[in-house]
């Protein structure tokens, strides 16, 4: 089979690789589509934490069952996606049902080879039934689950002002699920086309451009002086994260979905007097995947709005660097096989 390997930052190579044999407890998938995630871009750029080269990237998957065991509830040809967070099942996190932050987590396409190949082998427990979703919809389920998990971590209540920083695909999904939870959503970014997308495609009423607006004053005006009770960072940008502490209402929750490598810095007295809560949000759980699929099926989420670019598998090596330019209107690129 063909696979695409990221050998070092900035270097892809197509290779011929032996197609994996089926083993007990695993299912062989024929890949139909792969979404390109921020993780993949960061790996290509050499700025992805917890990453080693060479690596086959890709964890946002639409696939069909190629081979599975006789005991499986799936049959050959069934459409699926996966929960790409391969866990041990034995550590303290797994024993407490938090398999999304397993101590020895192996994320598909990050710690182990991923889906930019014609076939992959995945643990049976990772399979997520397609439930009639199209391949384009299935490939968006995992990134949308990231936002759904972050909103669940924040315990968003109807009527709350929720500030989402970063209007990339993860941020957009987070905004969608904040809206579904009944929040008043505020989008903050430096990229006006992305903010226009929030307004026009997602119906976000409040948009703030961090480069041209007085962010603090705009937030005060929007929230009638209260400031947001939930702040969620989806940028993974240190400056954006550190700045965001000043945007919190008293009693607010700050959720970090975005990830960066350095140390966060904030004023302890300012944080303390607010009795603020700082949370991280890593990956997603099966309940989040179920919520995403339900919201797609009932029309609350329209994942096809997100897909702005498609490229064939054989084009990825030559076209991947072009996707890094925001000027081309990129929201979500999908590789088709």
């Amino acid at each position: 089979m063909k696979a695409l390997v990221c050998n070092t930052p900035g270097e892809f190579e197509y290779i011929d690789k032996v197609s994996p044999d089926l083993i007990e407890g695993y299912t062989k998938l024929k890949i139909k589509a792969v979404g390109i995630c921020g993780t993949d871009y960061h790996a290509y750029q050499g700025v992805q934490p917890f990453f080693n080269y060479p690596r086959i990237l890709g964890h946002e998957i639409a696939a069909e069952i190629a081979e599975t065991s006789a005991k499986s509830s799936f049959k050959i040809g069934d459409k699926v996606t996966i929960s790409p967070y391969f866990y041990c099942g034995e550590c303290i996190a797994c024993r407490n049902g938090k398999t999304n932050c397993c101590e020895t987590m192996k994320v598909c396409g990050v710690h182990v080879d991923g889906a930019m190949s014609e076939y992959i082998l995945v643990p049976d427990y990772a399979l997520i039934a397609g439930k009639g979703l199209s391949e384009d919809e299935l490939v968006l389920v995992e990134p949308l689950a990231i936002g759904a998990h972050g909103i669940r971590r924040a315990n968003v209540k109807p009527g709350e002002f929720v500030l989402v920083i970063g209007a990339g695909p993860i941020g957009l999904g987070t905004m969608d699920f904040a809206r579904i939870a009944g929040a008043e959503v505020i989008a903050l970014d430096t990229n006006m086309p992305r903010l226009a997308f929030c307004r026009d495609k997602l119906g976000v009423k409040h948009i703030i451009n961090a480069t041209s607006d007085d962010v603090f004053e705009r937030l005060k005006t929007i929230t009638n002086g209260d400031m947001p009770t939930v702040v969620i960072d989806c940028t993974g940008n240190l400056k954006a994260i550190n700045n965001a502490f000043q945007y919190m209402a008293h009693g607010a929750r700050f959720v970090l979905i975005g990830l960066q490598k350095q140390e966060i810095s904030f004023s302890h007295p300012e944080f303390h007097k607010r009795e603020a809560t700082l949370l991280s949000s890593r990956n997603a759980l099966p309940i989040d995947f179920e919520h995403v699929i339900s919201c797609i099926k009932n029309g609350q989420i329209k994942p096809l709005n997100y897909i702005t670019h498609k490229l064939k598998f054989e084009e990825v090596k030559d076209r991947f660097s072009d996707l890094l330019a925001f000027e081309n209107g990129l929201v979500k690129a999908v590789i088709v096989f």
Side-chain angles (χ1 to χ4, degrees):
M1 67 174 188
K2 290 288 186 185
L4 180 65
V5 180
C6 186
N7 285 321
T8 60
E11 182 193 330
F12 275 128
E13 178 188 8
Y14 288 103
I15 62 169
D16 290 310
K17 187 177 181 184
V18 175
S19 184
D21 292 326
L22 186 66
I23 58 176
E24 185 66 28
Y26 284 73
T27 293
K28 184 175 179 178
L29 300 180
K30 180 178 177 59
I31 301 300
K32 307 298 287 185
V34 176
I36 301 176
C37 173
T39 300
D40 303 318
Y41 293 120
H42 295 157
Y44 182 78
Q45 293 171 307
V47 295
Q48 175 62 29
F50 319 129
F51 196 85
N52 293 306
Y53 302 87
R55 181 68 65 221
I56 297 173
L57 308 180
H59 61 271
E60 300 176 359
I61 298 171
E64 64 180 37
I65 304 292
E67 291 183 66
T68 192
S69 71
K71 296 181 291 185
S72 174
S73 60
F74 293 92
K75 62 182 186 299
I76 293 172
D78 282 352
K79 295 290 177 64
V80 296
T81 186
I82 68 166
S83 174
Y85 329 120
F86 303 156
Y87 55 84
C88 72
E90 298 176 355
C91 71
I92 181 64
C94 290
R95 297 199 308 271
N96 286 328
K98 292 182 67 66
T99 54
N100 62 307
C101 57
C102 169
E103 288 183 11
T104 56
M105 172 73 64
K106 303 294 184 188
V107 177
C108 181
V110 178
H111 308 102
V112 296
D113 283 341
M116 290 190 190
S117 62
E118 294 178 284
Y119 293 91
I120 62 168
L121 209 60
V122 301
D124 291 341
Y125 66 73
L127 297 174
I128 306 288
K131 296 186 178 179
L133 298 189
S134 69
E135 291 170 5
D136 281 350
E137 290 171 326
L138 278 174
V139 85
L140 266 294
V141 169
E142 190 274 341
L144 288 169
I146 300 293
H149 185 71
I151 293 300
R152 194 162 60 81
R153 287 279 285 158
N155 194 23
V156 171
K157 298 290 192 293
E160 284 194 278
F161 283 101
V162 175
L163 170 64
V164 179
I165 306 168
I170 299 300
L172 297 174
T174 303
M175 294 175 206
D176 254 345
F177 283 100
R179 170 185 55 79
I180 290 168
E184 288 280 342
V185 182
I186 308 166
L188 174 63
D189 201 283
T190 59
N191 186 299
M192 199 57 218
R194 288 289 183 93
L195 290 170
F197 184 95
C198 297
R199 180 190 62 220
D200 300 338
K201 296 291 188 180
L202 304 188
V204 176
K205 185 164 58 175
H206 308 292
I207 61 172
I208 302 175
N209 188 323
T211 57
S212 59
D213 294 334
D214 184 323
V215 176
F216 190 83
E217 289 302 318
R218 288 276 286 121
L219 287 171
K220 283 180 63 177
T221 300
I222 291 166
T223 63
N224 300 311
D226 290 336
M227 303 300 282
T229 49
V230 177
V231 176
I232 303 178
D233 178 78
C234 297
T235 67
N237 177 278
L238 182 62
K239 183 178 178 181
I241 291 168
N242 286 341
N243 283 343
F245 283 92
Q246 66 183 305
Y247 305 147
M248 302 171 70
H250 281 241
R253 291 94 74 201
F254 187 5
V255 182
L256 301 177
I257 295 178
L259 178 65
Q260 52 83 41
K261 290 183 174 182
Q262 301 175 65
E263 294 183 356
I264 296 168
S265 177
F266 58 91
S267 165
H268 188 179
E270 288 296 321
F271 189 78
H272 193 90
K273 76 180 185 182
R274 288 169 169 79
E275 197 181 49
T277 302
L278 179 62
L279 296 161
S280 61
S281 180
R282 186 182 184 195
N283 301 326
L285 287 166
I287 189 174
D288 303 307
F289 283 83
E290 293 167 12
H291 184 42
V292 169
I293 291 172
S294 175
C295 288
I296 293 173
K297 288 181 73 69
N298 67 25
Q300 289 179 288
I301 292 276
K302 300 187 185 302
L304 302 191
N305 282 342
Y306 291 64
I307 299 174
T308 54
H309 292 67
K310 284 188 175 183
L311 59 163
K312 296 177 181 178
F313 177 56
E314 57 267 26
E315 298 176 320
V316 178
K317 180 179 184 294
D318 294 328
R319 292 185 56 194
F320 193 87
S321 60
D322 296 338
L323 299 174
L324 294 169
F326 283 144
E327 296 78 36
N328 63 6
L330 174 72
V331 176
K332 171 62 70 174
V334 171
I335 302 165
V336 293
F337 284 70

